[in-house]
Amino acid sequence: MAMASHVSDNVQEVEKSISEAAPCHYMLKIQSFSLLAKNGIEKYESAEFQAGGYKWKLILYPNGNRSRNVKEHLSLYLVFADVGSLFRQGLEVHAVFRFFLLDQSKDEYLLVHDAKDNNRRFHRLKHQWGFDQLIPIRTFNDVSNGYLLDDTCMFGAEVFVTKETRPGRAECLSVVKDAISCKHVWRIENFSKLDSEYLKSNVFFSGDQKWKIQLYPKERQHVSGTHISLYLALDDSSTLTDGSKIFAEFTLRIQDQLQSRHIAGKVNHWFSESSQESGWAKFVSLVHFHRTGTGYLVKDVCVVEAEVIVHAVSSTL
């Protein structure tokens, strides 16, 4: 016997019917039901149960879900229990579910389900479905209906997973409005006595990212040893998830401390996990750098400067 009922619930179109078969996935028996309200228990979460390869639980509001302004009805919901996996894996689980309420007098069940047996999508933004108005409290309390006898009742649930999906890759590109230029000055002393392959500046910030300048006094990897190599690099690539990118405009310069005829290079670059630095292997020749009359090395001090503007960030979703 079917009884159609259209109610403004969490599930919009509800159908109620009678079944002699018990639910195959979960039963919840509550004794001393009336004491829930008297003891201030406005919400009860069941233990977890397995169905369709996933963990679920029921949430019952014996006097209605006040957060949804439900009055004079019981509210019952099915919840995807492992919410963390929905977030971590971007998982979507499609399921059809039914709730049961035992008529203890007739040994049969009131079956409450979506009138159209629609699949409901459980995902990171929606991991709970159910009925705000499962049954009127007056009907539930009426002994002649058999739902509450000796202050005891039994609810049940069946959950049938029909599909599971994991969305394809997605990204979000955020362009920075009114991007701010950040300048960092690096003073290198005893330059002629440097014996390491390369030096790195202190870390500085631009666009919420950590950066550093890398300088190779005798060219990177000593390819020819005739130039100074100069690069801008991300200091902490762990902030970049797989597929994330940072678009930055930057200028590197070695200051002419006497005549302000600086040696400068300017470029745009997409920094990523696989491309963490950008710059010039032959930024300036050592012959020009050490030429008499230039101010690139004064009292064995070299001053390097970086200006960085982060214009956009692309991140995975």
Side-chain angles (χ1 to χ4, degrees):
M1 179 175 65
M3 300 174 286
S5 174
H6 299 280
V7 188
S8 179
D9 290 350
N10 190 269
V11 172
Q12 293 298 320
E13 296 189 27
V14 179
E15 183 171 295
K16 296 179 180 179
S17 57
I18 302 299
S19 171
E20 294 181 353
C24 61
H25 290 137
Y26 197 67
M27 288 291 295
L28 170 62
K29 181 178 181 179
I30 302 177
Q31 297 175 320
S32 302
F33 183 87
S34 63
L35 295 182
L36 291 176
K38 291 181 180 179
N39 291 324
I41 302 175
E42 298 181 354
K43 170 185 174 182
Y44 180 73
E45 295 189 13
S46 76
E48 295 179 359
F49 62 94
Q50 291 272 358
Y54 296 99
K55 293 180 180 180
W56 311 84
K57 62 183 176 182
L58 300 178
I59 295 183
L60 172 70
Y61 293 82
N63 287 306
N65 187 351
R66 292 185 180 181
S67 67
R68 295 180 62 85
N69 199 30
V70 178
K71 298 178 181 178
E72 300 178 355
H73 286 76
L74 278 73
S75 302
L76 185 61
Y77 305 95
L78 175 70
V79 179
F80 194 97
D82 187 9
V83 179
S85 66
L86 296 179
F87 281 86
R88 290 191 303 272
Q89 303 175 33
L91 184 67
E92 285 190 0
V93 176
H94 299 238
V96 175
F97 64 91
R98 300 182 292 187
F99 291 149
F100 293 69
L101 179 55
L102 177 62
D103 179 343
Q104 301 171 67
S105 298
K106 299 179 181 178
D107 194 25
E108 61 186 21
Y109 294 87
L110 174 67
L111 205 61
V112 184
H113 58 95
D114 186 338
K116 298 180 179 179
D117 280 334
N118 285 327
N119 284 300
R120 296 298 170 182
R121 293 171 54 234
F122 293 81
H123 52 93
R124 62 181 181 177
L125 298 179
K126 179 70 173 178
H127 53 273
Q128 173 178 299
W129 284 97
F131 304 100
D132 293 333
Q133 299 180 20
L134 180 78
I135 188 173
I137 292 176
R138 182 186 297 272
T139 303
F140 177 76
N141 288 337
D142 189 339
V143 176
S144 65
N145 291 321
Y147 304 130
L148 187 64
L149 293 182
D150 297 326
D151 211 16
T152 298
C153 57
M154 292 188 70
F155 298 89
E158 289 183 342
V159 185
F160 302 97
V161 173
T162 57
K163 184 172 65 172
E164 53 188 33
T165 60
R166 288 173 172 80
R169 292 175 61 89
E171 68 176 277
C172 175
L173 174 62
S174 300
V175 181
V176 180
K177 183 180 180 181
D178 301 325
I180 299 174
S181 174
C182 175
K183 182 181 290 187
H184 180 73
V185 178
W186 179 23
R187 182 182 173 89
I188 307 173
E189 299 183 353
N190 300 315
F191 190 89
S192 62
K193 299 177 182 178
L194 297 175
D195 57 2
S196 57
E197 181 185 356
Y198 83 100
L199 305 174
K200 61 181 179 180
S201 71
N202 291 331
V203 174
F204 62 96
F205 284 86
S206 181
D208 295 327
Q209 296 292 330
K210 294 180 180 180
W211 304 90
K212 61 187 176 185
I213 307 168
Q214 295 180 169
L215 183 144
Y216 295 77
K218 295 182 180 179
E219 203 163 339
R220 189 169 189 174
Q221 296 178 345
H222 303 291
V223 175
S224 62
T226 59
H227 287 73
I228 290 175
S229 302
L230 198 59
Y231 298 88
L232 176 71
L234 284 167
D235 181 67
D236 185 6
S237 62
S238 65
T239 59
L240 294 176
T241 57
D242 182 30
S244 297
K245 297 177 292 184
I246 300 167
F247 182 71
E249 171 190 343
F250 69 91
T251 300
L252 296 180
R253 61 175 62 91
I254 295 178
Q255 293 184 0
D256 181 338
Q257 302 169 63
L258 300 178
Q259 304 177 64
S260 297
R261 296 177 180 177
H262 310 312
I263 305 170
K266 183 177 181 179
V267 72
N268 297 327
H269 184 71
W270 280 103
F271 291 86
S272 65
E273 192 174 19
S274 60
S275 184
Q276 299 177 25
E277 62 182 35
S278 178
W280 296 267
K282 297 181 182 295
F283 186 79
V284 61
S285 70
L286 290 173
V287 171
H288 182 65
F289 179 79
H290 289 287
R291 183 170 296 164
T292 304
T294 63
Y296 307 127
L297 193 62
V298 176
K299 296 182 179 179
D300 212 20
V301 174
C302 174
V303 180
V304 181
E305 184 179 275
E307 286 187 55
V308 183
I309 307 174
V310 174
H311 287 291
V313 177
S314 175
S315 57
T316 56
L317 295 176

